[in-house]
Amino acid sequence: MKNIVYTLLITVVLSSCSEYQKALKSEDISTKFKMGTELYDAGKYGKANRLFAQIVPQYRGKPQAEKLMYMYSNSFYKMKDYYLAGYQFERFADQYPKSEKAEEALFLGAKSFYQLSPVYSKEQKETKTAIEKLQMFINTYPDSEYLPEANILIKELDYKLERKAFEIAKLYNQIANFESEDYEASIKAFDNFLVEYPGTTFREDALYYRFDSAYKLGINSIEYKRKGRIETAIKYYDAFYKAFPESQYNTEAEKMKKELQTAIQTYSTQS
C-alpha cells in the first residue's frame, strides 16, 4: 500500500513539473496566467514569478493586468527580493491608485525598503529612504489599518540613525589619543547629536562623553588655550550633572571636575 501511495505521489509531482515546464514554453499567455495564479495561491512564488515575468508586458491595458501586477509585485516580496518588491509595489500604486490593493501595495513597498535597512554600524542610505517611503505612506493614508505598524517601523529606523550618530561621536572620543583636533571633533559631534536628537535615549551617555572630551582637551591643551578650555569643560560638567544628578558616570565625572577645578585655581592664584 505504501509503495502505491509513493508511486502516486511521484506521478503527481512529475506531472506538476511537466505542466509547469509546458506553461513556461507555451505561447499562450492565458495558460501562463492560469498556471502562475495557481502556483501563487499555493505559495510557490518563485515559479509563479517566472511565469508572471513572461506575460506582464502582454497584459498591459487588459482587465487582468491589475491582479497580475499585484501578484507579480507580491511574489518578489514573498521571495525576499525587496529591491524589486519595493519598485514593483510603487509602480502598482501609481498605476492603480483606485485599486482596493493600492493602500496595501504602497505600505508593502515602503516596508520593502525597511527590510533593506542594514545594521546601524553600516551606511544608512536605505534607512533614510525607508523613513521617507513610510512617511509618504502615512501622509497618503493617515487612517490606514497599517498605520500602527508603519509608526513602529519608523521608530526602529529612527533609532538606527540615532545610534549611528552617537557611535560616530563616541568614536572620536575613543580614538583621540590626546590630539586636540580629535577631541574638538568629538565635542562638535556630540553637540550636533544633542541638537538633532533632543529626546535621545543616549542623552546621558552623550553629555558624559562630551564632558569627557572637553576635560581631556582642556587638561592636555597648550598653555595659551588651556584656561579657556578648562572653563568650557567645567560648563559641560555642570550641564551633565544638572541633567543627570544620579548618573552612573558620576564617580568618574566628579574626579575629572575636581582636577579641572584644581587646574583653574592655578590661574586664579597667578592673577
Side-chain angles (χ1 to χ4, degrees):
M1 185 64 182
K2 288 182 179 179
N3 289 336
I4 295 174
V5 172
Y6 182 74
T7 301
L8 288 173
L9 182 60
I10 291 296
T11 302
V12 170
V13 171
L14 291 175
S15 175
S16 175
C17 291
S18 177
E19 290 299 314
Y20 174 66
Q21 291 300 324
K22 286 181 181 178
L24 279 175
K25 297 174 182 178
S26 174
E27 298 282 327
D28 184 7
I29 62 173
S30 62
T31 297
K32 294 178 186 290
F33 185 93
K34 181 175 181 297
M35 173 64 76
T37 302
E38 290 174 357
L39 290 167
Y40 177 89
D41 291 339
K44 297 179 180 179
Y45 302 108
K47 288 185 174 181
N49 182 275
R50 285 187 66 189
L51 287 168
F52 294 152
Q54 291 181 343
I55 60 175
V56 163
Q58 291 93 327
Y59 269 91
R60 288 197 180 100
K62 295 181 182 291
Q64 305 96 320
E66 181 181 326
K67 179 180 179 180
L68 173 62
M69 288 306 300
Y70 176 81
M71 291 190 296
Y72 185 50
S73 303
N74 200 36
S75 64
F76 282 116
Y77 189 86
K78 295 295 186 180
M79 292 160 59
K80 299 185 178 181
D81 188 341
Y82 298 120
Y83 280 106
L84 286 176
Y87 172 71
Q88 293 296 343
F89 272 129
E90 283 193 343
R91 283 187 64 197
F92 179 89
D94 288 340
Q95 291 176 358
Y96 305 101
K98 296 182 180 181
S99 169
E100 63 178 18
K101 292 288 189 178
E103 179 181 334
E104 181 185 3
L106 194 61
F107 173 68
L108 289 177
K111 191 174 180 180
S112 295
F113 288 99
Y114 161 83
Q115 299 285 10
L116 292 169
S117 173
V119 295
Y120 77 88
S121 57
K122 295 185 177 181
E123 171 60 42
Q124 294 299 303
K125 179 181 177 181
E126 290 87 355
T127 300
K128 294 174 184 177
T129 300
I131 291 172
E132 292 174 2
K133 299 294 184 183
L134 284 163
Q135 192 58 59
M136 182 177 71
F137 167 76
I138 290 171
N139 294 341
T140 306
Y141 296 101
D143 300 318
S144 173
E145 63 178 294
Y146 302 110
L147 186 63
E149 185 178 356
N151 283 325
I152 290 172
L153 298 181
I154 288 179
K155 188 174 181 180
E156 289 181 19
L157 295 166
D158 278 335
Y159 178 81
K160 283 187 184 181
L161 297 181
E162 183 181 318
R163 179 76 183 275
K164 175 80 171 181
F166 171 75
E167 294 295 343
I168 289 173
K170 186 178 177 183
L171 183 62
Y172 281 121
N173 172 275
Q174 293 175 333
I175 67 174
N177 194 27
F178 300 118
E179 290 291 334
S180 62
E181 293 84 358
D182 290 331
Y183 284 127
E184 287 177 311
S186 177
I187 293 167
K188 185 176 181 180
F190 278 120
D191 282 339
N192 293 338
F193 174 78
L194 290 164
V195 169
E196 189 171 355
Y197 302 99
T200 177
T201 55
F202 297 107
R203 185 171 179 78
E204 178 182 350
D205 304 86
L207 287 171
Y208 170 73
Y209 282 110
R210 183 180 68 171
F211 164 58
D212 179 67
S213 294
Y215 156 79
K216 290 172 181 173
L217 178 62
I219 290 296
N220 296 284
S221 282
I222 55 178
E223 188 58 35
Y224 80 96
K225 291 184 176 181
R226 196 163 183 260
K227 182 175 182 291
R229 287 174 171 177
I230 288 174
E231 290 173 340
T232 299
I234 291 173
K235 289 179 182 178
Y236 280 139
Y237 169 82
D238 292 339
F240 162 70
Y241 184 77
K242 182 178 180 181
F244 297 96
E246 298 181 3
S247 171
Q248 60 177 318
Y249 301 113
N250 271 352
T251 300
E252 189 62 30
E254 184 68 21
K255 289 179 183 177
M256 290 189 286
K257 184 198 74 170
K258 288 180 179 178
E259 187 176 348
L260 291 167
Q261 288 175 329
T262 300
I264 208 70
Q265 285 172 1
T266 303
Y267 294 96
S268 300
T269 304
Q270 291 174 351
S271 62

